[in-house]
PDB file of all heavy atoms in Angstrom:
ATOM      1  N   SER A   7     244.532  52.708  28.561  1.00 90.00           N
ATOM      2  CA  SER A   7     244.820  52.264  29.919  1.00 90.00           C
ATOM      3  C   SER A   7     244.695  50.745  30.030  1.00 90.00           C
ATOM      4  O   SER A   7     244.978  50.167  31.069  1.00 90.00           O
ATOM      5  CB  SER A   7     243.862  52.938  30.905  1.00 90.00           C
ATOM      6  OG  SER A   7     242.533  52.601  30.573  1.00 90.00           O
ATOM      7  N   LYS A   8     244.268  50.124  28.930  1.00 96.00           N
ATOM      8  CA  LYS A   8     244.116  48.667  28.926  1.00 96.00           C
ATOM      9  C   LYS A   8     245.477  47.997  28.753  1.00 96.00           C
ATOM     10  O   LYS A   8     246.359  48.539  28.086  1.00 96.00           O
ATOM     11  CB  LYS A   8     243.244  48.229  27.746  1.00 96.00           C
ATOM     12  CG  LYS A   8     241.810  48.653  27.803  1.00 96.00           C
ATOM     13  CD  LYS A   8     241.097  48.094  26.565  1.00 96.00           C
ATOM     14  CE  LYS A   8     239.858  48.877  26.243  1.00 96.00           C
ATOM     15  NZ  LYS A   8     239.293  48.455  24.965  1.00 96.00           N
ATOM     16  N   PRO A   9     245.627  46.784  29.290  1.00 98.00           N
ATOM     17  CA  PRO A   9     246.838  46.018  28.998  1.00 98.00           C
ATOM     18  C   PRO A   9     246.868  45.653  27.505  1.00 98.00           C
ATOM     19  O   PRO A   9     245.834  45.637  26.841  1.00 98.00           O
ATOM     20  CB  PRO A   9     246.705  44.771  29.875  1.00 98.00           C
ATOM     21  CG  PRO A   9     245.273  44.688  30.253  1.00 98.00           C
ATOM     22  CD  PRO A   9     244.699  46.076  30.162  1.00 98.00           C
ATOM     23  N   THR A  10     248.058  45.382  27.002  1.00 98.00           N
ATOM     24  CA  THR A  10     248.218  45.048  25.589  1.00 98.00           C
ATOM     25  C   THR A  10     248.173  43.538  25.373  1.00 98.00           C
ATOM     26  O   THR A  10     248.486  42.767  26.282  1.00 98.00           O
ATOM     27  CB  THR A  10     249.545  45.601  25.044  1.00 98.00           C
ATOM     28  OG1 THR A  10     250.626  45.063  25.826  1.00 98.00           O
ATOM     29  CG2 THR A  10     249.571  47.128  25.089  1.00 98.00           C
ATOM     30  N   ALA A  11     247.797  43.153  24.151  1.00 98.00           N
ATOM     31  CA  ALA A  11     247.725  41.723  23.822  1.00 98.00           C
ATOM     32  C   ALA A  11     248.134  41.472  22.386  1.00 98.00           C
ATOM     33  O   ALA A  11     247.985  42.332  21.512  1.00 98.00           O
ATOM     34  CB  ALA A  11     246.311  41.195  24.046  1.00 98.00           C
ATOM     35  N   ALA A  12     248.623  40.278  22.163  1.00 98.00           N
ATOM     36  CA  ALA A  12     248.894  39.747  20.826  1.00 98.00           C
ATOM     37  C   ALA A  12     248.066  38.469  20.687  1.00 98.00           C
ATOM     38  O   ALA A  12     247.997  37.667  21.625  1.00 98.00           O
ATOM     39  CB  ALA A  12     250.379  39.453  20.650  1.00 98.00           C
ATOM     40  N   ILE A  13     247.430  38.313  19.528  1.00 98.00           N
ATOM     41  CA  ILE A  13     246.533  37.180  19.276  1.00 98.00           C
ATOM     42  C   ILE A  13     247.124  36.288  18.190  1.00 98.00           C
ATOM     43  O   ILE A  13     247.599  36.782  17.159  1.00 98.00           O
ATOM     44  CB  ILE A  13     245.146  37.683  18.819  1.00 98.00           C
ATOM     45  CG1 ILE A  13     244.516  38.577  19.882  1.00 98.00           C
ATOM     46  CG2 ILE A  13     244.226  36.508  18.458  1.00 98.00           C
ATOM     47  CD1 ILE A  13     243.276  39.333  19.395  1.00 98.00           C
ATOM     48  N   PHE A  14     247.026  34.980  18.417  1.00 98.00           N
ATOM     49  CA  PHE A  14     247.537  33.989  17.481  1.00 98.00           C
ATOM     50  C   PHE A  14     246.463  32.919  17.284  1.00 98.00           C
ATOM     51  O   PHE A  14     246.122  32.217  18.233  1.00 98.00           O
ATOM     52  CB  PHE A  14     248.826  33.363  18.022  1.00 98.00           C
ATOM     53  CG  PHE A  14     249.857  34.406  18.359  1.00 98.00           C
ATOM     54  CD1 PHE A  14     249.906  34.959  19.627  1.00 98.00           C
ATOM     55  CD2 PHE A  14     250.726  34.886  17.389  1.00 98.00           C
ATOM     56  CE1 PHE A  14     250.814  35.960  19.945  1.00 98.00           C
ATOM     57  CE2 PHE A  14     251.644  35.888  17.690  1.00 98.00           C
ATOM     58  CZ  PHE A  14     251.683  36.430  18.965  1.00 98.00           C
ATOM     59  N   VAL A  15     245.928  32.815  16.061  1.00 98.00           N
ATOM     60  CA  VAL A  15     244.829  31.886  15.781  1.00 98.00           C
ATOM     61  C   VAL A  15     245.298  30.747  14.885  1.00 98.00           C
ATOM     62  O   VAL A  15     245.727  30.968  13.752  1.00 98.00           O
ATOM     63  CB  VAL A  15     243.640  32.595  15.086  1.00 98.00           C
ATOM     64  CG1 VAL A  15     242.489  31.608  14.863  1.00 98.00           C
ATOM     65  CG2 VAL A  15     243.173  33.808  15.873  1.00 98.00           C
ATOM     66  N   ASP A  16     245.183  29.538  15.389  1.00 97.00           N
ATOM     67  CA  ASP A  16     245.405  28.318  14.608  1.00 97.00           C
ATOM     68  C   ASP A  16     244.065  28.030  13.912  1.00 97.00           C
ATOM     69  O   ASP A  16     243.209  27.336  14.453  1.00 97.00           O
ATOM     70  CB  ASP A  16     245.809  27.201  15.575  1.00 97.00           C
ATOM     71  CG  ASP A  16     246.144  25.889  14.891  1.00 97.00           C
ATOM     72  OD1 ASP A  16     245.847  25.724  13.694  1.00 97.00           O
ATOM     73  OD2 ASP A  16     246.682  25.011  15.599  1.00 97.00           O
ATOM     74  N   VAL A  17     243.874  28.626  12.726  1.00 96.00           N
ATOM     75  CA  VAL A  17     242.573  28.624  12.060  1.00 96.00           C
ATOM     76  C   VAL A  17     242.027  27.214  11.843  1.00 96.00           C
ATOM     77  O   VAL A  17     240.857  26.945  12.133  1.00 96.00           O
ATOM     78  CB  VAL A  17     242.638  29.411  10.721  1.00 96.00           C
ATOM     79  CG1 VAL A  17     241.353  29.247   9.924  1.00 96.00           C
ATOM     80  CG2 VAL A  17     242.914  30.880  10.988  1.00 96.00           C
ATOM     81  N   GLN A  18     242.849  26.303  11.350  1.00 93.00           N
ATOM     82  CA  GLN A  18     242.367  24.942  11.088  1.00 93.00           C
ATOM     83  C   GLN A  18     241.923  24.267  12.374  1.00 93.00           C
ATOM     84  O   GLN A  18     240.885  23.622  12.419  1.00 93.00           O
ATOM     85  CB  GLN A  18     243.449  24.102  10.391  1.00 93.00           C
ATOM     86  CG  GLN A  18     243.349  24.039   8.882  1.00 93.00           C
ATOM     87  CD  GLN A  18     243.523  25.380   8.163  1.00 93.00           C
ATOM     88  OE1 GLN A  18     244.165  26.300   8.661  1.00 93.00           O
ATOM     89  NE2 GLN A  18     242.941  25.495   6.986  1.00 93.00           N
ATOM     90  N   ASN A  19     242.708  24.409  13.432  1.00 95.00           N
ATOM     91  CA  ASN A  19     242.364  23.781  14.701  1.00 95.00           C
ATOM     92  C   ASN A  19     241.031  24.310  15.217  1.00 95.00           C
ATOM     93  O   ASN A  19     240.163  23.533  15.633  1.00 95.00           O
ATOM     94  CB  ASN A  19     243.488  24.024  15.716  1.00 95.00           C
ATOM     95  CG  ASN A  19     243.229  23.350  17.043  1.00 95.00           C
ATOM     96  OD1 ASN A  19     242.463  23.850  17.867  1.00 95.00           O
ATOM     97  ND2 ASN A  19     243.846  22.205  17.260  1.00 95.00           N
ATOM     98  N   ILE A  20     240.844  25.617  15.181  1.00 97.00           N
ATOM     99  CA  ILE A  20     239.597  26.210  15.676  1.00 97.00           C
ATOM    100  C   ILE A  20     238.413  25.787  14.798  1.00 97.00           C
ATOM    101  O   ILE A  20     237.344  25.457  15.312  1.00 97.00           O
ATOM    102  CB  ILE A  20     239.723  27.753  15.769  1.00 97.00           C
ATOM    103  CG1 ILE A  20     240.721  28.130  16.871  1.00 97.00           C
ATOM    104  CG2 ILE A  20     238.370  28.425  15.990  1.00 97.00           C
ATOM    105  CD1 ILE A  20     240.353  27.650  18.276  1.00 97.00           C
ATOM    106  N   TYR A  21     238.615  25.762  13.501  1.00 96.00           N
ATOM    107  CA  TYR A  21     237.534  25.356  12.592  1.00 96.00           C
ATOM    108  C   TYR A  21     237.070  23.922  12.915  1.00 96.00           C
ATOM    109  O   TYR A  21     235.890  23.678  13.130  1.00 96.00           O
ATOM    110  CB  TYR A  21     237.984  25.451  11.129  1.00 96.00           C
ATOM    111  CG  TYR A  21     236.951  24.909  10.174  1.00 96.00           C
ATOM    112  CD1 TYR A  21     235.835  25.668   9.823  1.00 96.00           C
ATOM    113  CD2 TYR A  21     237.064  23.623   9.648  1.00 96.00           C
ATOM    114  CE1 TYR A  21     234.867  25.169   8.964  1.00 96.00           C
ATOM    115  CE2 TYR A  21     236.103  23.119   8.791  1.00 96.00           C
ATOM    116  CZ  TYR A  21     235.004  23.895   8.447  1.00 96.00           C
ATOM    117  OH  TYR A  21     234.042  23.384   7.601  1.00 96.00           O
ATOM    118  N   TYR A  22     238.022  22.998  12.945  1.00 95.00           N
ATOM    119  CA  TYR A  22     237.648  21.593  13.118  1.00 95.00           C
ATOM    120  C   TYR A  22     237.142  21.280  14.527  1.00 95.00           C
ATOM    121  O   TYR A  22     236.207  20.488  14.679  1.00 95.00           O
ATOM    122  CB  TYR A  22     238.804  20.660  12.722  1.00 95.00           C
ATOM    123  CG  TYR A  22     238.998  20.647  11.223  1.00 95.00           C
ATOM    124  CD1 TYR A  22     240.110  21.227  10.636  1.00 95.00           C
ATOM    125  CD2 TYR A  22     238.033  20.086  10.384  1.00 95.00           C
ATOM    126  CE1 TYR A  22     240.264  21.237   9.251  1.00 95.00           C
ATOM    127  CE2 TYR A  22     238.179  20.095   9.007  1.00 95.00           C
ATOM    128  CZ  TYR A  22     239.296  20.669   8.446  1.00 95.00           C
ATOM    129  OH  TYR A  22     239.447  20.683   7.084  1.00 95.00           O
ATOM    130  N   THR A  23     237.721  21.897  15.558  1.00 97.00           N
ATOM    131  CA  THR A  23     237.242  21.603  16.908  1.00 97.00           C
ATOM    132  C   THR A  23     235.847  22.199  17.143  1.00 97.00           C
ATOM    133  O   THR A  23     235.024  21.566  17.798  1.00 97.00           O
ATOM    134  CB  THR A  23     238.228  22.080  17.995  1.00 97.00           C
ATOM    135  OG1 THR A  23     238.469  23.472  17.856  1.00 97.00           O
ATOM    136  CG2 THR A  23     239.538  21.311  17.929  1.00 97.00           C
ATOM    137  N   CYS A  24     235.581  23.384  16.589  1.00 98.00           N
ATOM    138  CA  CYS A  24     234.234  23.965  16.738  1.00 98.00           C
ATOM    139  C   CYS A  24     233.204  23.133  15.976  1.00 98.00           C
ATOM    140  O   CYS A  24     232.093  22.913  16.467  1.00 98.00           O
ATOM    141  CB  CYS A  24     234.203  25.411  16.239  1.00 98.00           C
ATOM    142  SG  CYS A  24     234.991  26.570  17.376  1.00 98.00           S
ATOM    143  N   ARG A  25     233.573  22.667  14.785  1.00 97.00           N
ATOM    144  CA  ARG A  25     232.658  21.826  14.008  1.00 97.00           C
ATOM    145  C   ARG A  25     232.369  20.525  14.754  1.00 97.00           C
ATOM    146  O   ARG A  25     231.229  20.085  14.822  1.00 97.00           O
ATOM    147  CB  ARG A  25     233.228  21.506  12.618  1.00 97.00           C
ATOM    148  CG  ARG A  25     233.448  22.697  11.717  1.00 97.00           C
ATOM    149  CD  ARG A  25     232.208  23.445  11.308  1.00 97.00           C
ATOM    150  NE  ARG A  25     231.259  22.618  10.595  1.00 97.00           N
ATOM    151  CZ  ARG A  25     229.997  22.959  10.359  1.00 97.00           C
ATOM    152  NH1 ARG A  25     229.541  24.117  10.757  1.00 97.00           N
ATOM    153  NH2 ARG A  25     229.193  22.161   9.703  1.00 97.00           N
ATOM    154  N   GLU A  26     233.417  19.919  15.317  1.00 97.00           N
ATOM    155  CA  GLU A  26     233.230  18.637  16.005  1.00 97.00           C
ATOM    156  C   GLU A  26     232.502  18.796  17.334  1.00 97.00           C
ATOM    157  O   GLU A  26     231.621  18.008  17.658  1.00 97.00           O
ATOM    158  CB  GLU A  26     234.587  17.948  16.214  1.00 97.00           C
ATOM    159  CG  GLU A  26     234.432  16.530  16.737  1.00 97.00           C
ATOM    160  CD  GLU A  26     235.733  15.758  16.765  1.00 97.00           C
ATOM    161  OE1 GLU A  26     236.561  15.930  15.857  1.00 97.00           O
ATOM    162  OE2 GLU A  26     235.898  14.957  17.703  1.00 97.00           O
ATOM    163  N   SER A  27     232.866  19.816  18.099  1.00 97.00           N
ATOM    164  CA  SER A  27     232.270  20.007  19.429  1.00 97.00           C
ATOM    165  C   SER A  27     230.862  20.576  19.390  1.00 97.00           C
ATOM    166  O   SER A  27     230.024  20.204  20.195  1.00 97.00           O
ATOM    167  CB  SER A  27     233.121  20.961  20.270  1.00 97.00           C
ATOM    168  OG  SER A  27     234.339  20.385  20.591  1.00 97.00           O
ATOM    169  N   HIS A  28     230.644  21.528  18.489  1.00 98.00           N
ATOM    170  CA  HIS A  28     229.399  22.303  18.517  1.00 98.00           C
ATOM    171  C   HIS A  28     228.586  22.256  17.219  1.00 98.00           C
ATOM    172  O   HIS A  28     227.502  22.834  17.166  1.00 98.00           O
ATOM    173  CB  HIS A  28     229.711  23.774  18.842  1.00 98.00           C
ATOM    174  CG  HIS A  28     230.444  23.968  20.128  1.00 98.00           C
ATOM    175  ND1 HIS A  28     229.852  23.814  21.368  1.00 98.00           N
ATOM    176  CD2 HIS A  28     231.741  24.292  20.382  1.00 98.00           C
ATOM    177  CE1 HIS A  28     230.751  24.048  22.319  1.00 98.00           C
ATOM    178  NE2 HIS A  28     231.896  24.327  21.750  1.00 98.00           N
ATOM    179  N   ARG A  29     229.168  21.663  16.157  1.00 98.00           N
ATOM    180  CA  ARG A  29     228.509  21.637  14.841  1.00 98.00           C
ATOM    181  C   ARG A  29     228.242  23.051  14.320  1.00 98.00           C
ATOM    182  O   ARG A  29     227.267  23.295  13.623  1.00 98.00           O
ATOM    183  CB  ARG A  29     227.189  20.849  14.863  1.00 98.00           C
ATOM    184  CG  ARG A  29     227.274  19.460  15.438  1.00 98.00           C
ATOM    185  CD  ARG A  29     227.667  18.434  14.386  1.00 98.00           C
ATOM    186  NE  ARG A  29     227.737  17.095  14.913  1.00 98.00           N
ATOM    187  CZ  ARG A  29     228.868  16.521  15.369  1.00 98.00           C
ATOM    188  NH1 ARG A  29     229.987  17.193  15.383  1.00 98.00           N
ATOM    189  NH2 ARG A  29     228.868  15.292  15.800  1.00 98.00           N
ATOM    190  N   ARG A  30     229.089  23.990  14.745  1.00 98.00           N
ATOM    191  CA  ARG A  30     228.946  25.388  14.341  1.00 98.00           C
ATOM    192  C   ARG A  30     230.320  25.990  14.073  1.00 98.00           C
ATOM    193  O   ARG A  30     231.338  25.418  14.450  1.00 98.00           O
ATOM    194  CB  ARG A  30     228.227  26.185  15.450  1.00 98.00           C
ATOM    195  CG  ARG A  30     226.760  25.799  15.543  1.00 98.00           C
ATOM    196  CD  ARG A  30     226.127  26.162  16.856  1.00 98.00           C
ATOM    197  NE  ARG A  30     226.033  27.605  17.076  1.00 98.00           N
ATOM    198  CZ  ARG A  30     225.742  28.128  18.264  1.00 98.00           C
ATOM    199  NH1 ARG A  30     225.536  27.356  19.300  1.00 98.00           N
ATOM    200  NH2 ARG A  30     225.665  29.429  18.411  1.00 98.00           N
ATOM    201  N   ASN A  31     230.314  27.170  13.489  1.00 97.00           N
ATOM    202  CA  ASN A  31     231.561  27.870  13.197  1.00 97.00           C
ATOM    203  C   ASN A  31     231.869  28.910  14.268  1.00 97.00           C
ATOM    204  O   ASN A  31     230.963  29.471  14.896  1.00 97.00           O
ATOM    205  CB  ASN A  31     231.499  28.552  11.826  1.00 97.00           C
ATOM    206  CG  ASN A  31     231.552  27.553  10.692  1.00 97.00           C
ATOM    207  OD1 ASN A  31     232.277  26.562  10.755  1.00 97.00           O
ATOM    208  ND2 ASN A  31     230.780  27.797   9.656  1.00 97.00           N
TER     209      ASN A  31
END
């Protein structure tokens, strides 16, 4: 009964922004 979704992950972008913003993965 849930709506459907498609996920798209820009892995490099998420890796580097999390490292820079939070110093974590």
Side-chain angles (χ1 to χ4, degrees):
S7 60
K8 293 181 203 172
T10 58
I13 301 169
F14 305 90
V15 182
D16 183 347
V17 172
Q18 264 63 26
N19 182 281
I20 292 300
Y21 174 79
Y22 288 110
T23 57
C24 285
R25 297 295 301 166
E26 188 172 323
S27 292
H28 303 287
R29 308 273 181 266
R30 289 160 66 193
N31 288 321

